[in-house]
Amino acid sequence: MAIASENNVQPDVMAKAIKEAVFAGVVAFCMFLLFVGIETYQDINNQLVWRTRWGLLAVFVAVAVVGRFVTVAFIKPHLDKRKLAKAKTGVLDISEEKSFFHKHFLKIALVFLLCYPFLAMMIFGRQGSLKYVDNFGIQILIYVMLAWGLNIVVGLAGLLDLGYVAFYAVGAYSYALLSSYFGFSFWLLLPMAGILAALWGVILGFPVLRLRGDYLAIVTLAFGEIIRLVLINWTDVTRGTFGISGIAKASFFGIWSFDVGAANNFNKAWGLPSSSVYYKMFLFYIILALCMLTAYVTIRLRRMPIGRAWEALREDEIACRSLGINTVATKLTAFATGAMFGGFAGSFFAARQGFVSPESFVFLESAVILAIVVLGGMGSLTGIAIAAVVMVGGTELLREMEFLKHVFGPDFTPELYRMLLFGLAMIIVMLFKPRGFVGTREPTAFLKERKAVSGSFTKEGHG
Amino acid sequence: MATGTTTMAKDTILKVEHLSMKFGGLMAINDFSFEAKRGEITALIGPNGAGKTTVFNCITGFYKPTMGMLTLNRSNGKEFLLERLRDFEINKVAGVSRTFQNIRLFSGLTVLENLLVAQHNVLMKASGFTILGLLGLPTYKNAAKAAIEKAEYWLEKADLTDRADDPAGDLSYGAQRRLEIARAMCTGPELLCLDEPAAGLNPKESLTLNALLRGIRDEGTSLLLIEHDMSVVMEISDHVVVLEYGQKISDGTPDHVKNDPKVIAAYLGVEDDEVEEIEEKLDKGIIEEGTV
């Protein structure tokens, strides 16, 4: 818009904003009329009846109208003005000095994570911290680890795997079954679960990795479902949908046990009051260590020839073959390594829950893990960790938002809307940061200086 | 590995015999034979759609030929039948490396990383298939250092040292072409196959390319190239093979090929009666096939 007309811009913008807000309202009304406006339920006689929820529908439409109005009338002109001012002064974003927090982000994050359980205990008390260590800390870190594992397959090697949760299930069930049938300890079964999952990765990968792109995605999706269906139907071994309960807890390297009745109980040995929070804190540090192991191995592997070959495979498979790289073997190692970390996470999950059932390994889990990898920025460990915190922490936070009941009525259960949150987050990130939170790529070797590679050069891989 | 029984002259690096490639009903290459000499630049030319790239894809393992034998003679005396090797082994075992008509770089990796990926097999062995390398043993560290030195050598040759830490996708077209050649050379090939290396280059870039290719030949690597740019072909090649409609129509030194009426006819086209005239002469033996 010309600068001369700046004064008479305001009414123009207002008229436009009102027009767009009405339009958004109409679209929202049409979309939500059947989804939100009408609800079906079963009455006492088990008959399906429906009732209307005009109030809730009105809230949805109002949010759309007001949101669109504010965006067009205020936010967009403000952003444009800022951009214009920046262009005039000639200050570019890239030339700005990084802040202290930005520079030392990783160190600060690690120190915070190491202190986190103690901080939670200090602030919320012994029982109060249980929720923060377990639901937030451990839950998020499990997803961080899974996403970092999947990152090797999807982010580095560019193989779209929609059945990653299968390896998580293999790890969880190997621990659950081997510990309840043979009584092996957690520390023996943790590496075994990883190896078994990696083995499954190779067994699956061998026939499947000839496929590329969409075809590979569909077959891995099917494999994930096959594993789940086997777990449901092989009732003699897995007890089907009932799942396996009473799985042994992890011990403190065999020295102290966390079982309440045991003679070498950890709490007794250290004179601590009996509370499950110490076990949770111990689990928190185990999963933190496992995450660090995943990150360390990923970082080291990226600088090895195998890691470079993975990334080269993502960029161009045909060129890889012309350079004498055995693409099948390279893909298999990526698949197996990713699967191994899935297996580690699975066995940890089984030890933490004390109960596994096929319910925990549905396709939705694969989709969530993949969404975290994509949102974080494929290949970037920091971005993925941030995405996991936002997405998993966000869904956990939704449970806490009791006040929403005052807005939407007492029947409103906020955690049912977590998928909406996921969708919203994806749309926002993909609009503003199409390559994820961290879209740049760190080179693995350099001659003079290490320059980050812009996301616009890297490829997503075609299978 | 497959070892050929035919004995070849020591100075022949690649011998293509009776190569045929059929795509469904289409005969893309029909009974094509030629030899490439060691330490020479052999050019494969022909009009668009003659089947040059198909020949390349057969040699470098991207297609399995319908018929024919492709024998590669390495300097250590070993012979390989290329059509029997798996695609990646053609580079790894037989030492044949190639570039592509539409450049295929790892655009999200830096220039240096591109050259390191090309040394995958050497580094892989040195790192004990990753396991020893993860433990941080010195063998891998030394190999990694040597790999960077080799990369630096080729960066220097390709005039890309300043751009070593930039993403390959950020380079100009001419620089990408040079990088692709440097990357192919980092695999340590004995035969380098170039698919239209001068396509899209300006005259100045073309000249630097010529110098680069000559340098590669003088260091002992044989070259086989497809090219449309006659200034490049006639300038640097020692031997030219002309292909039309999947068949060889001429074979010899650049001067010989330049004056071959069949080649001129293939490139410029001739009147119908002229074709008959030439054919008549051929039949009567007034002019011999392949001569002026």
Side-chain angles (χ1 to χ4, degrees), chain A residues 296-297 300-306 308-309 311-327 330 441-454 457-459, chain B residues 62 86-88 91-92 96-98 100 104-110 112-113 116-118 120-121 123-124 127 130 133-134 136 140 148 152 155 161-162 164-167 169-170 183-184 187:
Chain A
Y296 177 76
V297 171
R300 281 302 296 268
L301 281 181
R302 271 195 70 209
R303 291 178 193 160
M304 306 284 294
I306 188 74
R308 286 202 197 104
E311 290 201 79
L313 205 61
R314 176 193 69 204
E315 299 290 320
D316 196 325
E317 188 179 338
I318 288 174
C320 276
R321 267 190 269 161
S322 83
L323 295 174
I325 296 173
N326 185 346
T327 49
T330 309
R441 175 185 168 274
E442 281 288 308
T444 60
F446 61 96
L447 269 192
K448 288 183 204 79
E449 57 167 328
R450 191 183 289 277
K451 296 185 217 166
V453 175
S454 152
F457 293 117
T458 52
K459 298 201 176 90
Chain B
F62 285 86
R86 286 196 287 164
D87 46 17
F88 71 92
N91 180 281
K92 188 179 174 181
V96 178
S97 165
R98 74 169 291 180
F100 295 87
R104 285 183 173 278
L105 288 172
F106 307 124
S107 59
L109 308 190
T110 65
L112 180 68
E113 283 177 306
L116 292 179
V117 169
H120 177 79
N121 287 318
L123 288 174
M124 206 57 184
S127 71
T130 313
L134 268 184
Y140 173 64
I148 287 186
E152 274 184 281
L155 283 173
T161 312
D162 299 339
D165 298 322
D166 290 328
D170 200 19
R183 188 182 66 180
T187 64

Side-chain angles (χ1 to χ4, degrees), chain A residues 250-268:
Chain A
S251 68
F252 196 97
F253 305 107
I255 304 169
W256 295 294
S257 159
F258 287 96
D259 292 324
V260 180
N264 56 346
N265 183 283
F266 181 81
N267 298 12
K268 270 186 217 158

Side-chain angles (χ1 to χ4, degrees), chain B residues 176-283:
Chain B
Q176 291 196 3
R177 284 257 174 235
R178 291 201 303 278
L179 174 59
E180 207 189 12
I181 293 169
R183 188 182 66 180
M185 285 312 294
C186 274
T187 64
E190 284 196 31
L191 178 68
L192 175 65
C193 302
L194 303 167
D195 198 343
E196 298 203 18
L201 300 189
N202 64 34
K204 200 178 147 212
E205 285 173 324
S206 238
L207 281 180
T208 22
L209 180 81
N210 285 356
L212 176 65
L213 296 186
R214 273 206 207 95
I216 289 172
R217 177 192 58 186
D218 295 342
E219 282 183 26
T221 306
S222 319
L223 281 93
L224 178 65
L225 65 110
I226 293 178
E227 193 47 73
H228 274 300
D229 188 339
M230 284 304 145
S231 68
V232 174
V233 172
M234 296 305 162
E235 183 80 7
I236 64 168
S237 26
D238 305 301
H239 178 150
V240 179
V241 180
V242 190
L243 200 63
E244 194 198 14
Y245 296 122
Q247 279 173 312
K248 185 162 84 175
I249 56 170
S250 186
D251 187 347
T253 62
D255 281 330
H256 166 89
V257 166
K258 219 188 296 185
N259 302 317
D260 190 331
K262 275 189 157 183
V263 176
I264 296 168
Y267 269 90
L268 300 176
V270 283
E271 302 280 333
D272 283 348
D273 49 335
E274 262 184 79
V275 175
E276 278 165 24
E277 210 173 289
I278 291 170
E279 275 173 359
E280 244 169 60
K281 279 181 187 170
L282 281 173
D283 288 342

